Structure formats: C-alpha cells, structure tokens
Amino acid sequence: NVSKTYRLGKMTVPVLHEINLRVLPGQIIAVTGPSGSGKSTLMNIIGLLDRPSEGELYLDDQQINLNMSDNKLADLRSKRIGFVFQTFNLLPSLDALQNVLMPTTYSRPAKNEKQRAKDLLDQVGLGRRMKHRPNALSGGEKQRVAIARALINNPEVILADEPTGNLDSKSGQEIIEILLKLQNEGKTVVIITHDEKIAKRCQKTYRLLDGRISGEEQ
Ligand code: ADP
Ligand code: MG
C-alpha cells in the first residue's frame, strides 16, 4: 500500500498511489510504464533510496522500520541491494576495478575483496578491461562494470532501472542475458524497462500508469 507524494514548497505532487507489489525470492520481474508513470520513484522506494509517504515495505517478511536513520538505511541497502542505472553512474576518475570496489567502502571490508572484484569483472566478460576508465569503455561495457559493482557486496536483490535504455540493441541484449543468468544463480531481480521484449523474458510484469498499477501479468 505504498504511496509517494513529493512536496515542492506549497505544491504537492502525488506520484505513486497505493502500490501493492510482491517479488518472491529468486524471481525476476519487470516493471513497465510510460515515461513519468512513477517507475523510478517506485524503484527508489523498493531500493530504500527514498522513503514512501504512506505504506509499508518488507524484506524477507520483515517489516522495514522507515524511521531508522539514513545511515542505518544506507547500511541495509548496501548489504542487501545492488543497483544498475540507465546512465551507469560510474565514477569517471576511477578505473573499472576501482568502480567495482566502490560500494565496499560503505560496508565492512571483507577479505579478498579485490580478488572478488576481479572475478566479478571476469564473469561479466571484462577481465581484460580492469584498468580502463569509463570513458575508454563502450556503453555495454560500462553497464557490465555497473553490474559487477552491484554484485560486490553479494546482495540478494538486484534492481535495474532501464538498464538498456542507453544501449544499442545488441549490447542491451547482452545485459539482459547477464541479468537472467544472475536470476538463474539465485538472485532476485527487478528490471524497470520500456521494452516489451525484455518484459516478456521476465516471470511477471507489473504495468504502471499515472502512479498506479494498471496491470499484472504472469
Ligand atoms: P518514470 O521513471 O516512470 O519516468 P519518475 O518516477 O521519474 O517516472 O517520475 C514520476 C513523476 O514524479 C514525474 O511526474 C516526475 O516529474 C515526478 N517526480 C519525480 N521525482 C520528483 C521529485 N524529486 N520531486 C518532485 N516530483 C518528482
Ligand atoms: Mg525513470
């Protein structure tokens, strides 16, 4: 029953209305809808980047205390959720390996982190691009770095907001194959997309329209 209203001065902008959505562990689901329908707002709320105005969130059947501090919320987020964005959001001054290691600075550093980052880059096919900075990588390669980064803290959930939106169709296809493979390996994956072909490959699709769920397909 999640709603979200932004306040801009005296204006209120209602964006999400009583959204009910459930993702089972290990599922891959799609959220589709026209531009402005509230997809990114919903993803930010599911991903604990933003708080709902009304409603409840559960992770593993445990209700999330939405009054916890920003730091505690960030801690929970960095351990349990990995993000992939349309615009990649890599740091331009860091090479691929350093970008993948970025999220580790927010949680307790584990042993062999660097090796793990290298293994993840290998897994996404970028073993030979570790020292490349983002501007020396293609769009598809940047997104693969972003996926490796999303995996570094071994989260159970991957949230991808239009991960293929800035890619040509071949690179986009490769990114979707990687996300499907992650689900196959046990991750829970939520893909926000405009692309019906991508939605069709997911187990379930939620359609958003004007901040409401207008349809749900298995
Ligand atoms: P989508 O990702 O589906 O394109 P968004 O979730 O980005 O949609 O935006 C949904 C609506 O919420 C839009 O009308 C947008 O202008 C509004 N909106 C998004 N973020 C904010 C914000 N921080 N403040 C005010 N309005 C916002
Ligand atoms: Mg969006």
Side-chain angles (χ1 to χ4, degrees):
N1 240 7
V2 161
S3 296
K4 178 71 179 179
T5 299
Y6 287 110
R7 278 166 230 294
L8 298 169
K10 283 187 178 163
M11 273 218 321
T12 58
V13 185
V15 175
L16 295 177
H17 307 271
E18 297 176 351
I19 300 280
N20 286 298
L21 181 147
R22 177 200 289 265
V23 190
L24 298 175
Q27 240 185 355
I28 184 163
I29 73 149
V31 177
T32 66
S35 186
S37 57
K39 302 184 297 298
S40 293
T41 303
L42 180 60
M43 172 170 127
N44 291 345
I45 288 173
I46 295 173
L48 309 176
L49 285 164
D50 200 358
R51 295 168 211 250
S53 312
E54 306 277 348
E56 295 164 359
L57 297 177
Y58 294 81
L59 189 56
D60 276 349
D61 290 334
Q62 271 209 308
Q63 188 170 358
I64 292 171
N65 171 13
L66 293 165
N67 296 318
M68 77 171 86
S69 69
D70 286 351
N71 277 343
K72 281 211 170 123
L73 208 59
D75 192 49
L76 184 63
R77 185 169 66 226
S78 76
K79 286 190 180 121
R80 309 205 45 188
I81 303 169
F83 294 90
V84 178
F85 298 97
Q86 177 173 2
T87 50
F88 322 122
N89 296 8
L90 300 177
L91 286 182
S93 61
L94 302 183
D95 66 26
L97 187 62
Q98 292 168 325
N99 264 289
V100 174
L101 283 164
M102 258 281 294
T104 62
T105 54
Y106 289 104
S107 61
R108 218 173 296 119
K111 267 186 271 172
N112 303 328
E113 254 167 9
K114 204 163 170 188
Q115 188 54 48
R116 195 174 138 65
K118 286 180 179 171
D119 292 345
L120 286 169
L121 281 169
D122 264 336
Q123 277 171 37
V124 296
L126 287 183
R128 303 172 75 177
R129 298 279 189 280
M130 303 206 191
K131 291 283 165 201
H132 284 51
R133 289 195 183 165
N135 68 7
L137 296 169
S138 71
E141 289 171 339
K142 283 183 213 171
Q143 198 60 302
R144 285 190 268 158
V145 174
I147 290 175
R149 178 184 58 185
L151 293 168
I152 189 72
N153 288 331
N154 199 22
E156 57 256 60
V157 182
I158 301 289
L159 299 181
D161 191 353
E162 308 211 29
T164 65
N166 281 10
L167 302 180
D168 61 86
S169 63
K170 181 168 173 287
S171 311
Q173 182 71 33
E174 288 165 4
I175 293 302
I176 294 307
E177 296 305 331
I178 292 174
L179 293 173
L180 284 161
K181 186 166 147 268
L182 291 173
Q183 184 252 338
N184 220 2
E185 292 166 2
K187 301 286 184 199
T188 304
V189 182
V190 177
I191 307 179
I192 290 174
T193 182
H194 268 104
D195 189 335
E196 273 309 309
K197 275 192 292 201
I198 294 173
K200 284 217 166 68
R201 303 207 48 197
C202 296
Q203 293 167 316
K204 189 170 187 179
T205 301
Y206 286 95
R207 298 190 188 284
L208 269 189
L209 192 62
D210 296 332
R212 294 173 207 276
I213 293 193
S214 66
E216 212 177 297
E217 287 146 42
Q218 291 284 344

